[in-house]
Amino acid sequence: MRRYVIKRLLSLVGTLLGVSVLIFLMVHLIPGDPATQILGQFATPEAISQMRAKLGLDQPLWQQYMRFVGNLFAGDLGTSLFTGEKVWDQIMNRFPITMQLAILSVIIAAIFGILLGTIAAVKQNTIIDRLVVLTSLLGISAPGFWIALFLIWIFAYKLALFPISGYEGIHSLLLPAITLGMAEAGMIARMTRSSMLEVIKQDYMRTAEAKGAALFRIILSHGLPNAIIPVVTMLGLQFGALMAGAVVVETVFSLQGIGSLAIEAISKRDMPTIQGMVFFMALIFALTNLIVDLIYSRIDPRIHFD
């Protein structure tokens, strides 16, 4: 196990180097000049030229990239061009809200997705099965902003159970988490149903049933542990995607998380903040996948890592 973790961490360094190249090139392809953005459209060419020199933008691209990577290895994600704050500090100030939102969304998606998928598999070809399939399809296909506005109208405006926008504690994240979690729950329900249908056909399931074990016990003890591995894979991938994809939900609910920071940075062409954020999210995504792989061996002892 230790050898496997070391190998994965070493491969992670190579992956992040590749990501750093892509991030750097993509940020420099964004139209507009950061120096002009900082000084305003009425700045003189001399002032713009001095600002470009101060930011290092007058240097060749490869020198700018080497400086960027060197700072990354030193743990420095750079400094915002507009606020003057360290990018790392900006991310850490916004990260807790996005992290809480992603965890809550994954919990909601896992509970409803696995429960509905299991029920649909056990009740295959019945009205319950069809209702679950239809509901999961609606959850996947409904646009996130539409679900968000619908939830705000019902639970925040009409019933006044939650704040309409802003962060006022963990309860204010419930509606955004449901918005994010609905699509994920739909996909997990379909995945669980499909995986569970395969498991139900296995001999050990029929043997347990023939011995007179209760259906609930058979599903919980023999069915779910064998059917849940692909679901765990999806949950791990979706967790990383939720962290990076909360932009729309955070904007609709006016949450000061990573997503809103990304919108601000892109609109101002704040290159260090954009680069630092994307690199940070790539790191979180890669570490999440590593943790998911390690969880496999806990769920299924037959899986060994060399």
Side-chain angles (χ1 to χ4, degrees):
M1 175 73 81
R2 184 180 300 174
R3 189 177 170 187
Y4 174 78
V5 173
I6 292 172
K7 282 173 64 179
R8 285 292 302 269
L9 289 175
L10 289 175
S11 68
L12 181 63
V13 174
T15 303
L16 292 177
L17 273 175
V19 169
S20 70
V21 174
L22 289 175
I23 294 169
F24 183 81
L25 292 176
M26 288 178 68
V27 167
H28 280 76
L29 286 174
I30 298 175
D33 182 9
T36 308
Q37 287 281 91
I38 294 172
L39 297 175
Q41 57 179 329
F42 299 109
T44 63
E46 290 77 15
I48 292 174
S49 179
Q50 288 176 0
M51 180 57 74
R52 288 181 60 79
K54 181 182 176 183
L55 299 175
L57 299 176
D58 59 338
Q59 296 175 357
L61 210 56
W62 69 270
Q63 286 187 9
Q64 295 182 47
Y65 173 72
M66 294 305 294
R67 190 174 69 246
F68 170 60
V69 172
N71 290 337
L72 284 180
F73 275 103
D76 182 7
L77 295 181
T79 303
S80 169
L81 298 179
F82 291 89
T83 64
E85 288 183 76
K86 288 287 185 184
V87 174
W88 176 258
D89 293 340
Q90 283 188 313
I91 292 173
M92 286 300 105
N93 287 336
R94 303 287 191 99
F95 184 62
I97 289 181
T98 303
M99 186 69 175
Q100 291 176 56
L101 179 60
I103 290 175
L104 203 54
S105 303
V106 167
I107 291 173
I108 290 171
I111 290 174
F112 285 97
I114 293 173
L115 181 64
L116 291 177
T118 303
I119 292 172
V122 173
K123 300 290 185 183
Q124 187 187 12
N125 296 329
T126 64
I127 186 69
I128 296 175
D129 181 24
R130 294 189 184 92
L131 278 175
V132 170
V133 172
L134 180 63
T135 305
S136 62
L137 191 60
L138 284 173
I140 295 170
S141 54
F145 70 88
W146 183 85
I147 295 173
L149 295 175
F150 180 75
L151 291 176
I152 289 173
W153 183 64
I154 295 289
F155 296 102
Y157 180 68
K158 290 290 184 184
L159 301 178
L161 296 175
F162 301 96
I164 291 177
S165 62
Y167 181 77
E168 299 177 11
I170 191 71
H171 72 286
S172 58
L173 294 178
L174 192 56
L175 295 184
I178 292 172
T179 304
L180 277 176
M182 277 189 69
E184 313 307 328
M187 286 189 282
I188 290 169
R190 293 174 74 86
M191 174 72 76
T192 304
R193 179 183 179 275
S194 173
S195 185
M196 186 62 79
L197 284 176
E198 291 295 322
V199 170
I200 286 174
K201 298 173 186 172
Q202 301 301 315
D203 291 339
Y204 58 83
M205 294 291 285
R206 286 196 288 267
T207 303
E209 189 177 0
K211 287 181 177 178
L215 180 61
F216 179 76
R217 184 181 177 83
I218 295 172
I219 294 296
L220 202 62
S221 303
H222 304 290
L224 269 180
N226 291 290
I228 208 159
I229 287 181
V231 179
V232 171
T233 306
M234 176 174 279
L235 279 172
L237 293 173
Q238 292 306 320
F239 181 76
L242 285 172
M243 294 282 293
V247 176
V248 174
V249 171
E250 287 185 3
T251 303
V252 172
F253 287 92
S254 298
L255 295 172
Q256 295 298 304
I258 293 287
S260 58
L261 179 62
I263 294 291
E264 294 168 15
I266 292 171
S267 64
K268 294 177 179 174
R269 205 173 185 277
D270 190 349
M271 288 196 304
T273 303
I274 298 171
Q275 289 174 163
M277 281 189 52
V278 178
F279 186 82
F280 179 77
M281 297 313 300
L283 178 63
I284 293 292
F285 197 84
L287 288 176
T288 303
N289 283 330
L290 173 60
I291 293 169
V292 168
D293 286 347
L294 297 179
I295 290 174
Y296 285 165
S297 63
R298 296 294 178 186
I299 296 175
D300 190 345
R302 293 171 300 178
I303 298 176
H304 298 284
F305 298 108
D306 297 321

